Amino acid sequence: MRTIGRITKNSGFDGAVVVRSESGIMAEPQQGEPVFVIIDGIPVPFFIREVITASPDTLVISFDDYLSAESVASLKGCEVMTRDEPEEEDE
């Protein structure tokens, strides 16, 4: 898996979070794709409802089924990862 960044804070009241990377966002997830939030050392899948690129090192992500600031408050400081792109097979 590849690190996207860390959740630094909530964004607004609809359950969105701000994900920042010190080295810039290398892998931007797409709507409907899962990302993995590392909670107590375990990668937990969260499906993306919406993703906005706020700057080269910042994403604002909303997750399916997390619709309030309270529902994502415990995720602050967690690492966010994505699967490595599958290698294309030669045909």
Side-chain angles (χ1 to χ4, degrees):
M1 285 201 284
R2 180 183 302 173
T3 299
I4 296 173
R6 287 200 177 272
I7 296 174
T8 58
K9 63 182 179 176
N10 294 0
S11 177
F13 299 104
D14 63 350
V17 294
V18 175
V19 177
R20 287 211 169 106
S21 172
E22 292 179 10
S23 59
I25 303 295
M26 300 296 190
E28 184 175 327
Q30 301 299 313
Q31 182 178 354
E33 290 183 356
V35 293
F36 297 87
V37 178
I38 308 303
I39 301 173
D40 295 329
I42 300 170
V44 179
F46 284 73
F47 286 86
I48 296 174
R49 178 171 27 111
E50 182 178 20
V51 61
I52 298 168
T53 303
S55 71
D57 64 345
T58 306
L59 297 175
V60 178
I61 301 176
S62 300
F63 300 118
D64 288 346
D65 302 324
Y66 291 83
L67 305 176
S68 69
E70 294 80 20
S71 65
V72 294
S74 64
L75 302 178
K76 183 178 177 184
C78 291
E79 186 174 10
V80 179
M81 302 184 86
T82 187
R83 290 188 187 144
D84 287 332
E85 294 297 318
E87 293 183 19
E88 294 183 20
E89 296 180 17
D90 292 333
E91 292 185 23

